[in-house]
Amino acid sequence: MSKIILDVDTGVDDALAIIYGIESKKIDLLGITTVSGNVPLHMTERNTRKVLRLIGREDIKVYPGADRPLIREPEYEFRVHGTDGIGNALDDMKIENQTEEQFAADFIIEQAKKYKGDLTLIMVGPVTNLALALRKEPKIADWINEVIIMGGLVSMAGKGNKLPNSEFNIFADAEAASIVFHSGIEVTLVSLDVTLQTYMKLEHIEKLKGTKYYDFVLNSTKVFRAFSEKQYGTNGCALHDPLTIGYFLDPSYIETKKYFVDVETVSPLNYGQTICDFRNLWKKEPNVNICLNVDAERFIDDFIETLKQA
Ligand code: BDR
Ligand code: CA
């Protein structure tokens, strides 16, 4: 089984992804790296460690990474994730101060070298840490088996969640995404095209009643669900980041196809847009596996069942 590094900007749905991945007992996790994204770095790190405590896996190490995008200033998403990033659901939980000293990008390089050809990165925030790692040690492009990224949109023009044509994670550091897409690493992009079909609604959450994660899932998603209702007319939490884990656990959830994909880094109208050359107009080698269809119901069932059985 491939070794995994999970890179997160925890985040409500990042928290759910961490729980899902660990509780699936099917991932060989080397460590979790954190990045600035939904909320500032120190909050994504704290939230990650609180979630690990909730799971009962404080033995998993958390490596703090980039505290800002490569070039631009950070833009956070408090509207979606609440003032602390996880809907204030774990306000009362105390955690010890046990920050790892190794920088996330260095951890990625070290592990890629150690597990050549046997390391997969699952990235559910801006991809700044991997871009930094690639700049410092370009050889990791040959050593990393695959990177599965939650980000972008390719056939839903006008239906982005940050700009009309841009998704949050790619918008949050488009220059980093550009480095990763052109690195030669095998990239799969789990985009809004499929994640927006995976709304976890109250009826799903109620299935967790009486189980370990019911309170956390109900409370942490409250702000997120209210935002979705106001903005998109659905009271639910799109399982963006958990679906990215789901794709690793069972690729048959999603139909993918490889095309040439590039990222806009200049235009103020479209900064962070992921452009897929479906018609091969640019005559470039395909570099990104994009997602065409998702078996949303089967995935959501597995997500809920996994949390239920914990
Ligand atoms: C992505 O952006 C973040 O707000 C979520 O955690 C997810 O990774 C969705 O666009
Ligand atoms: Ca995220």
Side-chain angles (χ1 to χ4, degrees), residues 9 11-14 38 77 80-81 124-125 150 161 167-169 192 195 224 240-241:
D9 62 330
V12 174
D13 58 325
D14 303 70
N38 289 318
E77 263 304 7
V80 180
H81 299 272
V124 295
M150 190 285 127
N161 62 359
E167 178 279 333
F168 176 79
N169 287 340
L192 293 183
T195 65
F224 198 128
H240 305 289
D241 296 350

Side-chain angles (χ1 to χ4, degrees), residues 44-117:
T44 66
E45 195 215 338
R46 186 197 55 204
N47 293 342
T48 303
R49 288 177 41 223
K50 281 191 172 182
V51 171
L52 288 174
R53 172 142 208 202
L54 176 72
I55 300 169
R57 289 299 310 272
E58 282 168 287
D59 57 301
I60 296 172
K61 291 191 172 154
V62 179
Y63 299 85
D67 70 353
R68 61 194 56 237
L70 293 184
I71 294 174
R72 307 218 174 189
E73 288 305 308
E75 275 189 39
Y76 306 118
E77 263 304 7
F78 295 108
R79 299 174 306 167
V80 180
H81 299 272
T83 53
D84 72 333
I86 44 174
N88 294 94
L90 299 178
D91 269 0
D92 296 334
M93 184 186 275
K94 299 274 173 283
I95 43 165
E96 303 295 320
N97 199 11
Q98 51 177 225
T99 306
E100 289 305 312
E101 279 179 12
Q102 191 175 21
F103 184 56
D106 290 324
F107 178 67
I108 291 171
I109 294 170
E110 179 193 270
Q111 299 300 309
K113 190 167 191 178
K114 187 166 170 193
Y115 295 107
K116 281 183 191 149

Side-chain angles (χ1 to χ4, degrees), residues 68 92 97 99 102 107 119 170 186 224 235 246-247 260-261 298:
R68 61 194 56 237
D92 296 334
N97 199 11
T99 306
Q102 191 175 21
F107 178 67
L119 173 67
I170 304 296
E186 186 74 10
F224 198 128
N235 185 312
Y247 175 70
F260 180 74
V261 176
R298 194 162 63 86

